[in-house]
Amino acid sequence: MPTYGGCDELCFYNGSKANCFCSHGYLDGDDNKTCRKYENKLFISRRESIERINLDGDKNSSLVLSHNLHLQNVVALAYDFKRHLIYYSDVKLNAICVCDFIGQTFIKLITDQPIVEGLAFDPQNRHLFWTLNGEAEIRSFDLNKLDDGTITTLDFQNSVTKILSLKKGQDKLRAVVVEPCLNMLYYS
């Protein structure tokens, strides 16, 4: 059986070392050689709940979170597959929150964000982007700061960056999408 430079699927040699890649799935973070299959799931919001639908043959859906103090009017969803986290905006709470894929942990990540209708996660750089409809702005937050201990929960508001500001009152920003390979941000 071929070893592909020690890689599970694809190996590209850059002149000095082998770099492993996966045709479908992602590299295991432990060895950066083993490919893991993505679990095919679809997350949907229904205002007062977030549901997970399994797309791998199991047609059952299951609640991740349902109406409670943390979930009042969910509008936008984004997810971090590698860390099994769901980011969501709640327009009644004026907040961007995060929970795990099974709804056991919850953090109100960023507050005082009125009418967040679009939310996008950049898995390459670990940035979260969102649209503020009422302010006609796109803002971002560097999630790497949470991992390296640079900021605490009290510093979240001060770590938000304004990316784009349009003419308030005339322009309404709705959706935002990240294309991480090209480092592009698209919005409507």
Side-chain angles (χ1 to χ4, degrees), residues 5 14 18 26 187:
N14 70 1
Y26 63 99
Y187 63 91

Side-chain angles (χ1 to χ4, degrees), residues 122-141:
D122 175 357
Q124 206 78 352
N125 300 302
R126 292 207 64 241
H127 282 86
L128 191 63
F129 296 91
W130 62 93
T131 60
L132 282 177
N133 186 319
E135 301 294 320
E137 294 177 358
I138 296 177
R139 295 182 181 173
S140 76
F141 180 76

Side-chain angles (χ1 to χ4, degrees), residues 99-133:
C99 70
D100 62 15
F101 277 12
I102 55 175
Q104 288 185 333
T105 60
F106 164 86
I107 298 171
K108 194 184 288 186
L109 191 62
I110 302 165
T111 58
D112 301 321
Q113 302 298 304
I115 314 175
V116 174
E117 291 190 4
L119 196 58
F121 173 70
D122 175 357
Q124 206 78 352
N125 300 302
R126 292 207 64 241
H127 282 86
L128 191 63
F129 296 91
W130 62 93
T131 60
L132 282 177
N133 186 319

Side-chain angles (χ1 to χ4, degrees), residues 51-147:
E51 296 179 26
R52 176 183 58 236
I53 299 172
N54 297 321
L55 302 174
D56 288 328
D58 178 9
K59 300 297 182 202
N60 296 327
S61 69
S62 58
L63 279 176
V64 175
L65 281 178
S66 61
H67 182 70
N68 57 35
L69 295 175
H70 307 303
L71 208 66
Q72 295 180 19
N73 192 354
V74 175
V75 174
L77 294 176
Y79 66 93
D80 178 348
F81 180 80
K82 191 172 184 178
R83 289 177 173 75
H84 291 125
L85 296 173
I86 301 170
Y87 300 96
Y88 64 92
S89 68
D90 191 310
V91 295
K92 278 192 180 175
L93 297 175
N94 287 334
I96 297 172
C97 307
V98 61
C99 70
D100 62 15
F101 277 12
I102 55 175
Q104 288 185 333
T105 60
F106 164 86
I107 298 171
K108 194 184 288 186
L109 191 62
I110 302 165
T111 58
D112 301 321
Q113 302 298 304
I115 314 175
V116 174
E117 291 190 4
L119 196 58
F121 173 70
D122 175 357
Q124 206 78 352
N125 300 302
R126 292 207 64 241
H127 282 86
L128 191 63
F129 296 91
W130 62 93
T131 60
L132 282 177
N133 186 319
E135 301 294 320
E137 294 177 358
I138 296 177
R139 295 182 181 173
S140 76
F141 180 76
D142 182 355
L143 294 163
N144 293 302
K145 292 180 179 180
L146 295 175
D147 294 342

Side-chain angles (χ1 to χ4, degrees), residues 1-13:
M1 181 182 211
T3 62
Y4 306 109
C7 300
D8 201 14
E9 289 184 18
L10 303 171
C11 176
F12 293 100
Y13 187 71

Side-chain angles (χ1 to χ4, degrees), residues 28 30 42 107 146 161:
D28 187 321
D30 294 333
L42 175 66
I107 298 171
L146 295 175
T161 304

